Amino acid sequence: MIVDVHGHFTQVPVQLDAYRGRQIGQLSRPPRGKGDPGISDDLLREHLQPHVRENQERGIDKIIFGPRAGLMGHEFGPEWISRHWTEINNDLIARACAMYPDMLIPAFQLPQSPGVEPAASIPELERCVAMGFVSLQLNPDPSGGIAPLSPSLSDRSWYPLYEKMCEHDLVGLIHAANTRNPHLHMNGAHYVNTDVAAVVELTTSRVFQDFPQLKLVIPHGGGGIPFHWNRMRAIHVGARLAPFEEAVRNIYFDLSTYDAESIELTIRKMGVDNVMYASEMWGSAQFIDPETGRKFDDTVDMVTGIDWLSDDDRYKIFEGNARRLYTRAKL
């Protein structure tokens, strides 16, 4: 079995974005409730077909399936607009996963807002747990890189959220949303920068001492961490911290990096017990590679083709580690 731990519902009906447009248009006149985007079951099923078809064609059996990361919208508007938008997206994911329960495993976004304490997201976390979600997308930078900046992931303001994640055995995918910094490309720079920052913040802190059961996944192969292994080790030596190569084992990494050499390096550095297959299908790498004629995110054979991996290693990467981590899921 192959489990893809990093999926987003990107091929959404236009009615969802139309809802967002109306929501933005009503910014000065907050509605009494969140409303309804008007997406029928038939329309939803139609727009899920690209995701279902690609998974089947590539031999992917299960996918952790969440809302669009770049459009979580945390950086825009007041707290109420983020709460309503989040609920609409999470409800849509719940409906989608109920249609394909043997393939899609639900992950939710949080109603994060700039300057708002992370604990404010706990009611939505509890609601999603009650609906059967197994994972969440955690944005370390809800303001999108401008003031008010969010505290480091090591800050105690995050602790109430971590406590709830441990209580409900939820897996957190550290994933930025959009950026408001005009110097940064969202996919090419902002996401990768956030991944690296998250690893540094977590490994140089006492988060995993305080929450040894906390389950966090850094996407995109850790952003750039495998390529700067000794830089991280040197930082830890200089600061007299626990060795980086030990501290980093508290974190899991997915393999959505899209070339065989990078995937292989990530596995070597992070270890087969701490990496999981991911393609972030229909995301930033959904385009055709002119050198191969295949989509950049079609990467299953980049793992199967690593000749130094044992059968047990491949089992862990494709399935075993996900089974161990996503204990709430039916894998």
Side-chain angles (χ1 to χ4, degrees), residues 153-154 159 162 202 205-212 214 216:
L153 288 171
S154 65
Y159 275 29
Y162 295 159
L202 291 166
S205 75
R206 57 174 295 116
V207 166
F208 291 106
Q209 292 173 259
D210 295 335
F211 297 95
L214 186 63
L216 294 176

Side-chain angles (χ1 to χ4, degrees), residues 181-198:
N181 184 336
H183 300 288
L184 296 182
H185 186 280
M186 183 182 74
N187 287 307
H190 181 54
Y191 282 2
V192 176
N193 294 350
T194 301
D195 299 338
V196 172

Side-chain angles (χ1 to χ4, degrees), residues 7-316:
H8 303 290
F9 187 12
T10 60
Q11 306 302 299
V12 299
V14 295
Q15 285 82 352
L16 183 63
D17 292 327
Y19 169 92
R20 182 62 164 172
R22 293 193 298 273
Q23 190 185 43
I24 293 170
Q26 296 170 351
L27 193 59
S28 61
R29 305 184 306 278
R32 293 183 178 179
K34 64 185 177 184
D36 187 339
I39 299 171
S40 69
D41 285 350
D42 287 344
L43 188 61
L44 178 58
R45 188 174 290 105
E46 175 188 341
H47 282 76
L48 285 168
Q49 294 315 300
H51 294 275
V52 172
R53 182 181 65 252
E54 292 267 354
N55 276 301
Q56 291 173 336
E57 290 175 353
R58 299 182 192 184
I60 296 171
D61 301 282
K62 308 274 187 178
I63 183 167
I64 307 298
F65 198 62
R68 297 172 293 181
L71 291 171
M72 288 190 290
H74 298 143
E75 73 285 350
F76 177 81
E79 186 176 4
W80 70 264
I81 202 169
S82 182
R83 184 177 72 254
H84 289 172
W85 178 238
T86 293
E87 290 173 359
I88 287 292
N89 278 278
N90 290 340
D91 289 346
L92 195 66
I93 292 297
R95 290 174 57 198
C97 293
M99 287 182 176
Y100 295 94
D102 294 333
M103 176 181 287
L104 306 181
I105 299 169
F108 62 95
Q109 69 180 62
L110 294 167
Q112 297 175 258
S113 290
V116 177
E117 291 284 313
S121 293
I122 289 176
E124 180 63 7
L125 180 152
E126 298 279 14
R127 188 179 80 94
C128 289
V129 166
M131 289 194 292
F133 284 75
V134 308
S135 181
L136 59 92
Q137 297 172 179
L138 177 62
N139 183 1
D141 181 20
S143 66
I146 64 171
L149 296 175
S150 296
S152 162
L153 288 171
S154 65
D155 190 84
R156 287 186 173 271
S157 61
W158 293 97
Y159 275 29
L161 193 62
Y162 295 159
E163 184 177 357
K164 282 294 179 182
M165 291 171 62
C166 292
E167 176 186 334
H168 294 295
D169 201 19
L170 292 167
V171 180
L173 176 70
I174 303 295
H175 208 309
N178 212 336
T179 178
R180 298 181 68 185
N181 184 336
H183 300 288
L184 296 182
H185 186 280
M186 183 182 74
N187 287 307
H190 181 54
Y191 282 2
V192 176
N193 294 350
T194 301
D195 299 338
V196 172
V199 174
V200 174
E201 291 168 28
L202 291 166
T203 57
T204 57
S205 75
R206 57 174 295 116
V207 166
F208 291 106
Q209 292 173 259
D210 295 335
F211 297 95
Q213 303 304 315
L214 186 63
K215 299 176 177 180
L216 294 176
V217 179
I218 309 293
H220 318 123
I225 293 294
F227 302 93
H228 295 280
W229 190 258
N230 275 359
R231 175 186 291 267
M232 298 300 112
R233 292 183 64 232
I235 289 170
H236 280 242
V237 169
R240 297 183 178 179
L241 297 169
F244 174 74
E245 56 269 35
E246 296 176 10
V248 78
R249 302 304 177 205
N250 293 304
I251 306 172
Y252 296 84
F253 297 85
D254 80 32
L255 293 176
S256 53
T257 54
Y258 311 121
D259 73 89
E261 292 84 359
S262 297
I263 288 174
E264 184 169 351
L265 180 63
T266 303
I267 297 170
R268 285 189 184 277
K269 292 297 185 183
M270 305 313 183
V272 294
D273 291 324
N274 286 72
V275 297
M276 295 177 289
Y277 179 76
S279 67
E280 200 174 7
M281 192 186 302
W282 288 103
S284 59
Q286 63 180 280
F287 308 104
I288 300 293
D289 182 345
E291 294 183 3
T292 66
R294 297 167 58 183
K295 287 187 176 181
F296 285 98
D297 59 18
D298 186 0
T299 59
V300 169
D301 62 354
M302 293 182 188
V303 177
T304 58
I306 300 174
D307 57 12
W308 53 266
L309 289 176
S310 68
D311 289 342
D312 186 56
D313 292 339
R314 291 190 182 87
Y315 169 78
K316 289 179 179 179

